[in-house]
Amino acid sequence: MPVALLVLLALCNSIEVDGGGGGGGSNLQCDNNLALQPRPHSVSILEFGAVGDGKTLNTIAFQNAIFYLKSFADKGGAQLYVPPGRWLTGSFNLTSHLTLFLEKGAVILGSQDPSHWDIVEPLPSYGRGIELPGGRYRSLVNGYMLRDVVITGDNGTIDGQGWVWWEWFTSRSLNYTRPHLVEFVSSEDVHVSNITLLNAPAYNIHPVYCSNVHIHNITAYAPPSSPYTVGIVPDSSDNVCIEDCNISMGHDAISLKSGWDEYGIAYGKPTTNVHIRSVHLQSSAGASLAFGSEMSGGIADVQVEHVHLYNSLSGIEFRTTRGRGGYIKEILISDANLLNINTAFVANGDYGTHPDDKFDPTALPSIKKIMLQNITGREITLAGNFTGIKQSPFTCICISNVSLSISPTSTISWTCSNVSGYSESVFPEPCEELKTVNTSSSCFSILMNPNGGGRAPATAILR
């Protein structure tokens, strides 16, 4: 069907195609965030006896400062100012209506003594720690059931000093699952911006069961050898914006999740309404951008645009397996540039482990309504590997206007099984399963929108 018609093909049922929000407007999450307002009250961590020499443990100073600032919650909130220095601490909790501000040259250092990290119960949508049965170490900076909480600064740093955790993990010396750097649980109106995150023991930023999360202008780094370090992990959360970030990890750079097998199915909270734009993502042993594999609560309504993925094992990856249940659907990824990626696109129906033997093997996940468009790539080894599940094939996988420069040493460009979809203007030419044109398994329309206001020329809102 000629491109000049401006229509690829109808029609996965119940999909609304629209120019970015209807009526010329926008409902993308990153367009809805307001500027931060200054807090009327501010104190310095120095006022609570903290010492920034990199050796003195300041956990009690952070705890006392935040306890004091809690009294300003009904007075417009307050700011905890961290000046230049190296502020060693164990895990501590934030409070609502608080801004944690890290000045340029300020470094919050995670203690390398595991006794300085509390042990907490596993998340209910996982049933146990991700890495080990039982509890998990509390993250370095925490928020639980908070509202209006901010971590920002003038490019200050939170350094988890994670190499000891990586060594303990690799040698299987840990009794509990590793901690993260920053975690918010069941919180609303969360903002993280203008800071650097280094050497996380595991995840860098983990909003779980949260709403209205804005992560802007952060740099996150862990070395290539760091095992299963992940940048940003929206988990059973909604209304999430991630923009203008630079993330380089040992495993995934950004990974969307929503619970694990029977626990995630029972908890039933999906990750929805996520907007990711203008990010640079690198993953040494995982995916630049990953969906799953823990996705039992569902992942839907995600738009990714204007992203640069580079030097990664895989570029964009959808992961699941039998027993997960849940769904990944209504995903639009556009205007992506890939460089030096082993496999550009992956959809894997046999990925990941199970928390225990109580999972239901008949709980089959659904992967459908995925759109990849306006993507270029250089130094790509394999264009795509789509391996669905025989009892639950991946459907409505749509690929448009994609051009990949494949390594001359590659003998194949695509591998496909148990998948169906439609493609147009794709090079190298995809497998036959992605060329389906019939009324039972056809893909959806994409209307070219010349007035997209700087977004992808073809913008689909998938409902």
Coordinates of all heavy atoms in Angstrom, one line a residue, residues 19 45 140-141 167 280 344 400 415 437 442 449:
G19 N -3.7 12.6 16.7 CA -2.5 13.4 16.5 C -1.8 13.9 17.7 O -1.3 15.0 17.8
I45 N 21.9 20.4 56.6 CA 22.2 19.1 57.3 C 23.3 19.4 58.4 O 23.4 18.7 59.4 CB 22.6 18.0 56.4 CG1 22.7 16.7 57.1 CG2 23.9 18.4 55.7 CD1 21.4 16.1 57.6
L140 N 18.7 3.3 50.0 CA 19.4 4.3 50.7 C 18.5 5.5 51.0 O 18.5 5.9 52.2 CB 20.6 4.8 49.8 CG 21.5 5.8 50.5 CD1 22.2 5.2 51.7 CD2 22.6 6.3 49.5
V141 N 17.8 6.0 50.1 CA 16.9 7.1 50.3 C 15.5 6.6 49.9 O 15.2 6.1 48.8 CB 17.2 8.3 49.4 CG1 16.3 9.5 49.6 CG2 18.7 8.7 49.6
E167 N 30.1 -7.5 44.6 CA 31.0 -8.6 44.9 C 30.2 -9.7 45.8 O 30.3 -10.9 45.6 CB 32.2 -8.1 45.7 CG 33.2 -9.2 46.1 CD 34.4 -8.7 46.8 OE1 34.8 -7.5 46.6 OE2 35.0 -9.4 47.6
H280 N 19.3 9.3 26.7 CA 20.4 8.6 26.1 C 20.6 7.4 27.0 O 20.8 7.5 28.2 CB 21.7 9.4 26.1 CG 21.7 10.5 25.0 ND1 20.8 11.6 25.1 CD2 22.4 10.7 23.9 CE1 21.0 12.4 24.1 NE2 22.0 11.8 23.3
A344 N 18.5 -5.2 17.7 CA 17.8 -3.9 17.8 C 16.5 -4.1 18.6 O 16.2 -3.4 19.5 CB 17.5 -3.3 16.4
S400 N 7.2 0.4 11.2 CA 7.1 1.4 10.1 C 8.2 2.3 10.0 O 8.7 2.8 11.0 CB 5.8 2.2 10.2 OG 5.7 3.2 9.3
T415 N 14.6 -13.1 13.2 CA 14.1 -14.4 13.5 C 12.7 -14.2 14.1 O 12.6 -13.3 15.0 CB 15.0 -15.2 14.5 OG1 15.2 -14.4 15.7 CG2 16.4 -15.4 13.9
V437 N -1.3 -9.4 6.1 CA -2.3 -8.4 5.7 C -3.6 -9.2 5.5 O -3.9 -9.8 4.4 CB -1.9 -7.8 4.3 CG1 -2.9 -6.7 3.9 CG2 -0.5 -7.1 4.4
S442 N -4.6 -8.3 11.1 CA -3.9 -7.2 10.5 C -3.6 -6.2 11.6 O -4.1 -6.2 12.7 CB -4.8 -6.5 9.5 OG -6.1 -6.1 10.1
N449 N 0.9 12.8 10.6 CA 0.4 14.0 11.2 C 1.5 15.1 11.0 O 2.4 15.2 11.8 CB 0.1 13.8 12.7 CG -0.3 15.1 13.4 OD1 -0.7 16.0 12.7 ND2 -0.1 15.2 14.7

